[in-house]
Amino acid sequence: MIALSLAEIAEAVSGTLNTHGADTPETVVSGVVDTDSRAMEPGAIFVAKPGEVTDGHLFVGRAVEAGAVLAIVERIVDEPVTQIVVPDVVLAIADLAREVVARVRARGALKIVGVTGSNGKTTTKNMLATILGPEGETVAPKGSYNNAVGAPLTMLRLTDHTRFLVCELGADAPGQIGRLAALVTPDVGVVLMVGLAHAGGFGGIEVTVREKSELIRAVRPGGVAVLNADDHRVAGMAAIADERGLSVRWFGEADSADVRSGALEVTAQGTRTTLTVDGVEIPLHLKVLGGHHVKNAMAAVTAAAALGIDPEVAVRRLESMQLAERWRMQVLTESPIRIINDAYNASPDAVAAALRTLAQITGPDERMVAVLGAMSELGEQAVEEHQKIGLLAVRLRIPRIVVVGSEARALYLAAIAEGSWNDEAVFFEDADAAFEYLTGELRPGDSVLVKSSNAAGLRFLGDRLGESFS
């Protein structure tokens, strides 16, 4: 974090300062800010966030032992450290992030990109970080730091020398994207697509559309909206951009898109295509597995161009990427069995894309195995969407469909009904049972996809399989 006095921090978060030892209101701190006591280092600021399982206030002492010099708390803790007491620590770190971003932006060099969408946010922000990093100090989220806590913590990593901030903006509840985007007022807002992810929690797809569009409403005057020309719900956000006087740049397969792709050649070594950027053709070999990531690459190139990065330079930098993120189409082993762990997020669109990738990269002498778990937060559409995935898996002629967890049982039943029999589709209540089955069933030449939502926990099953067959 940039250097701020204790008094400035207390004012930013509307908190009460309680100094300790030699500290005074003028004492300056500039260390990392985190809610995890294990992430502390000398000079750090610990945020004591209450949680569902435990309470950060219990770890203030541990944070101090690791080097924390300030704790932001909701109640005074009997530990030898300066504390700022606030009513709500989550709101406090948002307020502090707003102040830090405003101060760094006022110095003139900082440019901010906000990225949202039902799928592809994490991959796209990593692609943008890869493109922008060589241009100057770039701050982007760790993993999927995109919620009410993670996004502000990312913003608080800014320094006086940061040139680019890439914000991944997700939503645990309606209104969150607007609140997070308002902390930074991005120069460029990227909306990837609108799908069924979170639709159950939000109350329907139209509420999701409104939520994603809040990013465009938050883009600063004179900024740029980067929109998916192939998604009619995203394309409709151009009206909001026009109302606000923003420029609109399009990516997609439509002929009208500013950045579009040609035919895709998808293999286990990546995807080859040609991007056309404002009429100029640029070959692209994307090593990140899955043809669906080309759309994310187009979004990243479009956003980078809005920041003045030459598209050919952007493409060359993207070609250096080997992995989107851990647990996202992550190839754990190639031989004798290929294990692909993609079990961190799973909307219906993402699962369908992953299954199609499995079919595309599996050779004629190899066998496809899909290990599938539940897709979360689909509400009343959960059964229907799981059934659709079961049908798709059978229609893609996947000979081994391994379904794990009761919440995904509709997927298994749909596969059976569609014509998957003779143990082609099997069901297990838990990952341990599935692991025992798979270790005896898998054979050399198999291509195995492990796919589920984060809550289903199959990413750990994928890791176990990777360790077993490495």
Side-chain angles (χ1 to χ4, degrees):
M1 190 184 75
I2 62 172
L4 293 172
S5 71
L6 294 173
E8 288 173 321
I9 296 172
E11 182 179 2
V13 302
S14 301
T16 302
L17 176 62
N18 295 268
T19 58
H20 173 80
D23 286 347
T24 70
E26 288 71 40
T27 298
V28 172
V29 296
S30 60
V32 300
V33 183
D34 212 300
T35 57
D36 188 344
S37 61
R38 296 167 297 183
M40 295 294 98
E41 56 188 47
I45 300 170
F46 179 62
V47 181
K49 184 178 81 69
E52 295 180 3
V53 177
T54 188
D55 185 346
H57 293 78
L58 302 175
F59 296 90
V60 173
R62 191 173 300 176
V64 173
E65 291 174 1
V69 296
L70 172 64
I72 298 177
V73 297
E74 293 181 2
R75 61 180 185 273
I76 287 290
V77 178
D78 186 17
E79 295 291 349
V81 65
T82 293
Q83 301 172 44
I84 295 176
V85 183
V86 297
D88 186 320
V89 296
V90 174
L91 295 180
I93 57 175
D95 289 338
L96 184 57
R98 181 188 294 107
E99 178 70 14
V100 167
V101 170
R103 288 181 180 234
V104 177
R105 191 191 278 282
R107 291 161 192 167
L110 180 65
K111 294 294 183 181
I112 301 173
V113 184
V115 181
T116 195
S118 298
N119 299 317
K121 296 184 294 296
T122 298
T123 298
T124 303
K125 65 88 177 171
N126 284 341
M127 288 178 166
L128 272 166
T130 298
I131 294 169
L132 299 173
E135 302 292 321
E137 182 180 296
T138 300
V139 171
K142 300 179 290 185
S144 290
Y145 264 37
N146 62 21
N147 61 12
V149 175
L153 289 180
T154 297
M155 299 167 195
L156 289 169
R157 288 167 46 208
L158 291 179
T159 75
D160 293 317
H161 308 291
T162 303
R163 184 170 176 189
F164 298 105
L165 170 63
V166 181
C167 295
E168 179 183 342
L169 304 175
D172 297 327
Q176 184 167 293
I177 288 177
R179 289 191 294 271
L180 294 176
L183 301 178
V184 294
T185 56
D187 299 278
V188 179
V190 182
V191 184
L192 299 168
M193 56 91 69
V194 175
L196 290 174
H198 303 298
F202 285 178
I205 193 70
E206 294 309 317
V207 180
T208 305
V209 174
R210 290 199 298 272
E211 178 69 14
K212 304 303 182 187
S213 69
E214 288 304 303
L215 172 57
I216 304 305
R217 297 185 189 279
V219 173
R220 64 195 293 105
V224 180
V226 173
L227 303 177
N228 183 351
D230 303 327
D231 184 322
H232 71 277
R233 296 186 178 95
V234 175
M237 297 177 194
I240 299 172
D242 290 340
E243 289 172 4
R244 303 198 63 254
L246 308 178
S247 301
V248 178
R249 296 281 292 176
W250 299 96
F251 66 93
E253 298 174 9
D255 291 339
S256 60
D258 300 290
V259 177
R260 63 182 187 274
S261 66
L264 306 184
E265 178 189 349
V266 182
T267 70
Q269 286 69 51
T271 303
R272 292 185 183 274
T273 188
T274 298
L275 298 188
T276 301
V277 184
D278 294 327
V280 177
E281 294 187 349
I282 307 172
L284 168 65
H285 178 203
L286 194 62
K287 298 183 181 68
V288 177
L289 188 63
H292 52 291
H293 288 310
V294 170
K295 185 68 70 71
N296 301 328
M298 287 192 286
V301 170
T302 308
L307 294 170
I309 310 300
D310 182 272
E312 291 197 33
V313 172
V315 167
R316 298 289 81 79
R317 291 173 181 169
L318 283 181
E319 291 184 325
S320 70
M321 287 188 69
Q322 301 291 328
L323 177 67
E325 184 77 55
R326 186 184 182 192
W327 298 318
R328 289 172 175 83
M329 296 304 286
Q330 181 180 8
V331 181
L332 299 177
T333 64
E334 277 283 4
S335 179
I337 297 172
R338 180 183 296 121
I339 307 290
I340 304 167
N341 196 350
D342 190 28
Y344 193 84
N345 281 319
S347 68
D349 292 320
V351 177
L355 288 173
R356 292 190 180 99
T357 296
L358 178 66
Q360 290 169 323
I361 68 172
T362 304
D365 299 325
E366 299 174 333
R367 182 177 67 155
M368 295 180 282
V369 180
V371 183
L372 304 173
M375 301 177 290
S376 301
E377 301 182 29
L378 295 177
E380 63 184 17
Q381 296 172 293
V383 171
E384 179 183 357
E385 292 303 322
H386 282 89
Q387 289 173 336
K388 288 179 180 178
I389 294 300
L391 298 180
L392 176 63
V394 174
R395 291 168 184 174
L396 289 172
R397 300 183 182 278
I398 298 175
R400 280 293 179 271
I401 303 168
V402 181
V403 183
V404 185
S406 58
E407 291 184 352
R409 190 174 182 86
L411 192 164
Y412 165 71
L413 295 175
I416 294 294
E418 182 66 7
S420 179
W421 58 79
N422 194 29
D423 292 333
E424 291 177 355
V426 293
F427 174 80
F428 298 97
E429 286 287 352
D430 57 58
D432 288 339
F435 178 76
E436 183 177 352
Y437 166 80
L438 288 163
T439 51
E441 170 67 20
L442 297 181
R443 60 186 189 232
D446 284 349
S447 286
V448 184
L449 170 71
V450 183
K451 183 70 175 174
S452 75
S453 285
N454 187 19
L458 295 198
R459 64 194 186 280
F460 304 118
L461 172 60
D463 286 345
R464 289 175 69 188
L465 290 172
E467 292 171 2
S468 295
F469 294 102
S470 61

